[in-house]
């Protein structure tokens, strides 16, 4: 997301000719979009995206179990 927001910001600065970005080549201005595509391709290929999604899902599941145990008056095995 960092590369995407950086690219959008640079593109707007270039379009409205603000600051030093107005003098840069469009190749430099649009390069963060290429880096974002590279990052997403790497993350999908290596399984990074899926692993992070599974970690979030496991955390939600554990939080739900902990809330249910507290509601029943059972002490949680895991302390926050």
């Amino acid at each position: 997301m960092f590369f995407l927001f950086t690219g959008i910001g640079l593109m707007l600065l270039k379009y409205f000719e603000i600051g030093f970005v107005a003098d840069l080549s469009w190749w430099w201005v649009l390069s963060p979009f290429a880096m974002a595509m590279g990052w997403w391709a790497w993350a999908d290929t290596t399984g990074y995206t899926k692993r992070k999604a599974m970690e979030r899902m496991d955390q939600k599941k554990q939080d739900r179990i902990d809330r249910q145990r507290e509601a029943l008056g059972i002490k949680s095995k895991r302390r926050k």
Side-chain angles (χ1 to χ4, degrees):
M1 287 305 246
F2 172 75
F3 291 129
L4 185 63
F5 291 134
T6 303
I8 291 170
L10 287 174
M11 191 172 60
L12 289 173
L13 290 173
K14 175 72 173 176
Y15 181 75
F16 292 115
E17 297 179 353
I18 299 173
F20 73 93
V21 181
D23 297 330
L24 290 177
S25 168
W26 274 104
W27 289 106
W28 285 107
V29 173
L30 298 177
S31 64
F33 293 113
M35 289 187 283
M37 287 181 5
W39 166 258
W40 287 328
W42 174 84
D44 288 341
T45 313
T46 61
Y48 178 80
T49 306
K50 186 71 170 175
R51 188 170 47 250
K52 287 297 182 181
M54 289 177 69
E55 286 174 5
R56 283 191 304 270
M57 189 170 46
D58 289 343
Q59 183 63 39
K60 284 182 183 180
K61 179 181 174 182
Q62 188 61 46
D63 290 343
R64 187 172 53 246
I65 290 170
D66 290 344
R67 280 195 313 271
Q68 290 173 350
R69 285 185 178 172
E70 284 181 22
L72 292 171
I74 302 171
K75 291 195 178 208
S76 176
K77 293 179 185 177
R78 190 177 79 149
R79 300 307 284 179
K80 292 182 181 179

